[in-house]
Amino acid sequence: MEIITKPEASTSKTLNKSPSPWVIARRKFVKNKLAMISLIFLLIVIILSFLAPYITTKDIVRVDFMKISQPPSSENWLGTDTNGRDVFTRMLYAGRSSLTVGVGCMFFIVLIGTTIGSISGYFGGKIDQILMRFTDFVLMFPLLVFVIVLNTILVGKVSGLWTLIIVISLLSWGSVARVVRSRILAEKENEYILAAQSIGCKSSKIIMKHLLPNVASTIIVQATLLMAVTIVIESALSFLNFGVPADTPSWGNMLAEARNSDVLRDKIWIWIPPATAITLVILSINFIGEGLKDAMNPKSRR
């Protein structure tokens, strides 16, 4: 009598694939409540800022002497400033300027730093020495002083917002280049890179398709934290009237009115909103960065 045995369950069902590192990182990040709250808050701020023309129709430039330094009311939710302009309206438009500087600088800094760091780390030798000495030279520049000088020279010739983005980006990529270089140096010693080199893959293809995807987690975390840093730099420069032009509202030049002791002491509705916005946005970006750092850390158990 022939005995028919049933196949084992493990052979009748396809084995589930293990989740990719990106899926694991996403799950860890979603479980981080502080990072998720920060992300939602940041998205709300971005949406409100870039939908400003549809939210309010008040003029952000026109001076109204009849409404100078009025406290919050039903007509002006956050009051008016020393020029009679609506603080709430300027807050929304200021968010566009500050966030544009933050995102723009982040993009260019990461682009330049990643390019130089990956080339330096992959090729090594004289190329590495030349690029790293150039990086050291850039890192020695006093950023704020150089931005102030260059912005003063270019005033009226180039858009103040883009001048700020370009100058900050050109002087801030050094730290990213060093981080990317160190990761590339470690990653290029792996067997899959040696295998790609042995079959004749071009250096550009190895860097773009093999190395950079494996150091992307480090780059993403660096980019997130850089956004916070550049917003702080813009706010500081604009506070000193060397950043975004005065006719373009930003959180930094809105804070500049607090240099007046009367405003600082008796008209807090003028400077409290931009100060709060800067603080909360910077905190949220930092919490998001820390959440990404934990999520993309393979040793993390959260």
Side-chain angles (χ1 to χ4, degrees):
M1 183 177 178
E2 185 178 357
I3 300 175
I4 300 175
T5 58
K6 293 183 179 181
E8 295 182 2
S10 59
T11 60
S12 63
K13 296 181 180 180
T14 57
L15 294 174
N16 293 327
K17 293 182 179 180
S18 58
S20 68
W22 291 103
V23 173
I24 296 172
R26 186 189 66 199
R27 291 174 181 172
K28 289 181 180 178
F29 183 79
V30 170
K31 290 179 181 179
N32 190 325
K33 293 182 180 179
L34 189 56
M36 285 301 298
I37 293 171
S38 300
L39 179 61
I40 293 169
F41 171 77
L42 185 62
L43 289 175
I44 291 172
V45 171
I46 292 172
I47 291 169
L48 290 176
S49 297
F50 285 91
L51 291 181
Y54 303 99
I55 296 173
T56 177
T57 57
K58 294 181 180 178
D59 199 327
I60 60 172
V61 178
R62 181 174 172 270
V63 176
D64 189 345
F65 292 106
M66 301 298 293
K67 295 183 178 180
I68 289 178
S69 301
Q70 290 186 354
S73 63
S74 58
E75 183 182 359
N76 305 106
W77 294 350
L78 297 178
T80 60
D81 62 11
T82 54
N83 290 310
R85 298 169 296 190
D86 183 60
V87 174
F88 175 72
T89 302
R90 286 178 61 80
M91 274 285 296
L92 294 179
Y93 281 90
R96 298 173 71 178
S97 301
S98 297
L99 291 169
T100 299
V101 171
V103 174
C105 290
M106 176 189 72
F107 174 78
F108 288 114
I109 290 170
V110 170
L111 179 64
I112 298 170
T114 300
T115 302
I116 291 179
S118 57
I119 292 173
S120 177
Y122 179 76
F123 290 101
K126 291 184 178 180
I127 294 177
D128 181 34
Q129 293 179 8
I130 293 170
L131 290 177
M132 284 301 100
R133 297 299 76 75
F134 179 62
T135 302
D136 292 338
F137 175 72
V138 171
L139 286 170
M140 287 190 300
F141 273 105
L143 176 63
L144 294 179
V145 175
F146 194 81
V147 171
I148 289 171
V149 172
L150 194 57
N151 209 32
T152 303
I153 294 172
L154 296 177
V155 65
K157 299 178 182 179
V158 184
S159 169
L161 198 64
W162 283 104
T163 300
L164 202 60
I165 291 172
I166 292 169
V167 174
I168 292 174
S169 301
L170 290 176
L171 296 176
S172 304
W173 53 264
S175 58
V176 176
R178 285 192 167 279
V179 170
V180 172
R181 172 183 174 270
S182 64
R183 287 297 310 276
I184 293 289
L185 283 172
E187 197 70 26
K188 75 174 186 178
E189 299 301 326
N190 290 327
E191 293 180 356
Y192 71 94
I193 299 296
L194 299 176
Q197 292 172 339
S198 65
I199 61 175
C201 284
K202 293 182 179 179
S203 298
S204 59
K205 185 177 180 180
I206 294 174
I207 292 173
M208 294 296 295
K209 291 190 175 182
H210 298 290
L211 286 173
L212 288 182
N214 285 285
V215 301
S217 59
T218 301
I219 296 172
I220 291 171
V221 173
Q222 287 289 315
T224 306
L225 299 177
L226 275 169
M227 184 177 173
V229 172
T230 51
I231 290 176
V232 171
I233 293 173
E234 179 276 321
S235 299
L237 290 169
S238 297
F239 178 80
L240 299 172
N241 292 330
F242 290 109
V244 177
D247 58 348
T248 303
S250 79
W251 291 330
N253 58 30
M254 288 183 71
L255 272 178
E257 295 197 43
R259 290 183 295 180
N260 186 328
S261 59
D262 178 54
V263 172
L264 185 64
R265 184 181 61 253
D266 300 324
K267 301 180 174 97
I268 61 173
W269 64 84
I270 295 177
W271 62 270
I272 285 289
T276 304
I278 293 171
T279 303
L280 293 179
V281 167
I282 298 305
L283 283 174
S284 65
I285 293 173
N286 279 309
F287 287 140
I288 292 169
E290 289 299 319
L292 289 171
K293 185 177 179 181
D294 290 340
M296 292 180 176
N297 182 3
K299 295 180 182 179
S300 175
R301 296 295 180 185
R302 293 200 301 168

